[in-house]
Amino acid sequence: MTDYATLAQTIQSLTNGETDTVSLMATVACEVHHADDRFDWTGFYRVTGPDMLKIGPYQGGHGYLHIPFSRGVCGAAARTGEVQLVPDVDAFPGHIACASSTRSELVLPIWNGSGRLLGVFDIDSNQPAAFSQADADGLASILARTFHAVP
Ligand code: SME
């Protein structure tokens, strides 16, 4: 299980005072990816226009560049504003497979402090049912604290 308290402290110390979205996303993707062997792809999709996500900083193999809100697990998170905890990606209607090895996925929407949707944070695992509600809660807390000050 990931030590989210330590991970939060590390990310806070690395990003304290930073408000640049790309810098924050690059740092979070790096630190989260290397925090747990379950995490095989870790990265962001940014809101770049009405109902459109475009890839942002990530760790792992290449990902799709563009994902409309109407598609995939990422689109569902952006569209609904709800965490997508997917134990079996093959059972998720419209899942977009960036790698055939992916078995489970966790996607969280991210907002700034004014409630503007910035994008989504996506983690893929090659392990089935790799993610728990504790992962979702730990990451949601880190993301809210990290992106709160983004304009
Ligand atoms: N699986 C995601 C697409 C992003 S790749 O996993 C990096 C989806 O279904 O939206």
Side-chain angles (χ1 to χ4, degrees), residues 41-83:
W41 193 97
T42 311
F44 290 87
Y45 281 85
R46 301 161 297 121
V47 175
T48 59
D51 301 333
M52 180 56 71
L53 296 166
K54 290 189 179 180
I55 201 164
Y58 67 91
Q59 303 264 327
H62 63 268
Y64 276 89
L65 295 186
H66 305 162
I67 299 178
F69 281 28
S70 59
R71 292 196 60 214
V73 184
C74 292
R79 185 170 68 247
T80 65
E82 295 174 2
V83 172

Side-chain angles (χ1 to χ4, degrees), residues 41-131:
W41 193 97
T42 311
F44 290 87
Y45 281 85
R46 301 161 297 121
V47 175
T48 59
D51 301 333
M52 180 56 71
L53 296 166
K54 290 189 179 180
I55 201 164
Y58 67 91
Q59 303 264 327
H62 63 268
Y64 276 89
L65 295 186
H66 305 162
I67 299 178
F69 281 28
S70 59
R71 292 196 60 214
V73 184
C74 292
R79 185 170 68 247
T80 65
E82 295 174 2
V83 172
Q84 305 293 314
L85 184 53
V86 183
D88 175 6
V89 296
D90 292 333
F92 188 95
H95 168 255
I96 300 170
C98 293
S100 58
S101 56
T102 301
R103 291 292 172 268
S104 57
E105 187 164 6
L106 174 61
V107 184
L108 301 93
I110 54 172
W111 296 272
N112 69 358
S114 304
R116 177 168 69 91
L117 183 69
L118 300 175
V120 299
F121 183 57
D122 179 17
I123 309 181
D124 293 341
S125 181
N126 297 335
Q127 302 172 36
F131 305 104

Side-chain angles (χ1 to χ4, degrees), residues 1-4 6-8 10-11 14 25-44 57-61 121-124 131 135 139 142:
M1 182 61 190
T2 309
D3 178 352
Y4 285 106
T6 300
L7 182 58
T10 301
I11 291 172
L14 290 170
M25 288 181 172
T27 305
V28 170
C30 174
E31 292 303 316
V32 172
H33 188 70
H34 294 290
D36 198 308
D37 291 342
R38 292 175 294 157
F39 307 161
D40 293 299
W41 193 97
T42 311
F44 290 87
Y58 67 91
Q59 303 264 327
F121 183 57
D122 179 17
I123 309 181
D124 293 341
F131 305 104
D135 291 303
L139 289 166
I142 289 171

